[in-house]
Amino acid sequence: MPAKDIFHDAVRIGLEKEGWVITDDPLEIEIGGVEMYIDLGADQILAAEREENKIAVEIKSFVGSSNISQFHTAVGQCFNYQIALEAKEPERILYLAVPLGTYQSFFTLPFIQMVLQRSQLKIIVYDPVNEVIITWIN
C-alpha cells in the first residue's frame, strides 16, 4: 500500500464537505499484471438529475525542492492512471489535486498551462489549511 500524501486528509475532508462520498481510499486498479493505487475514489449523486458522478483523485502536496520534478511525476502518474481507468472504470473522471499556493505560483506559468492543455489533465485546487476545495478546473 502506498504512503498517503501529507495533505491527503485535507482533500478528503474538502470533497466530503462538497457532498462527495469517498468509496475507495485508495482506489486500487489492476490491469495487465500491474497494480496501481490512486489516492481516492469518490461518488456524488446529483438528486436533481438522478445521475451519479464518479471521480478518481490523485493528491499531490508539492512541498519538495523541485516543483517541476514533482510535476513530471504527477503528469506521468496521471497518464498511466487515465489509461487504466479508461479500460477498467471508464465512467470515472481523473483529477489531480494541488494545493492553492502551488497552483497560484506554479500551475499558472505559461509552460505548465500548455502541458495541462495538451494532456487534458483536470485539476482540483484545494486549501490544505481550511480543508476545502477552492475550484475545479476541467
Side-chain angles (χ1 to χ4, degrees):
M1 194 73 65
K4 289 184 179 181
D5 186 272
I6 62 169
F7 296 138
H8 182 95
D9 291 337
V11 173
R12 180 182 176 130
I13 290 166
L15 289 169
E16 290 171 335
K17 285 178 181 177
E18 290 202 355
W20 290 92
V21 175
I22 305 303
T23 57
D24 300 274
D25 187 357
L27 173 62
E28 181 180 352
I29 297 182
E30 190 279 322
I31 184 166
V34 175
E35 287 183 3
M36 291 179 257
Y37 298 90
I38 304 172
D39 291 321
L40 295 172
D43 295 355
Q44 184 180 53
I45 305 284
L46 300 176
E49 300 173 21
R50 291 202 168 111
E51 183 178 304
E52 183 177 38
N53 289 329
K54 293 184 174 199
I55 61 172
V57 180
E58 180 60 20
I59 302 164
K60 295 296 179 198
S61 61
F62 288 90
V63 294
S65 60
S66 172
N67 279 344
I68 193 68
S69 177
Q70 292 177 65
F71 181 70
H72 289 315
T73 300
V75 170
Q77 278 182 294
C78 287
F79 178 76
N80 291 336
Y81 293 162
Q82 187 60 51
I83 292 170
L85 285 170
E86 287 171 5
K88 292 290 195 167
E89 296 191 40
E91 71 284 357
R92 202 175 285 278
I93 299 170
L94 178 64
Y95 285 87
L96 174 64
V98 298
L100 178 60
T102 302
Y103 181 79
Q104 292 172 329
S105 67
F106 183 74
F107 275 67
T108 56
L109 297 174
F111 176 73
I112 302 306
Q113 286 292 304
M114 286 190 319
V115 172
L116 294 175
Q117 272 188 334
R118 173 107 19 116
S119 65
Q120 298 180 9
L121 190 56
K122 295 171 182 12
I123 304 293
I124 295 172
V125 180
Y126 65 91
D127 178 343
V129 175
N130 295 309
E131 299 178 328
V132 295
I133 304 302
I134 301 297
T135 192
W136 299 73
I137 301 169
N138 292 311

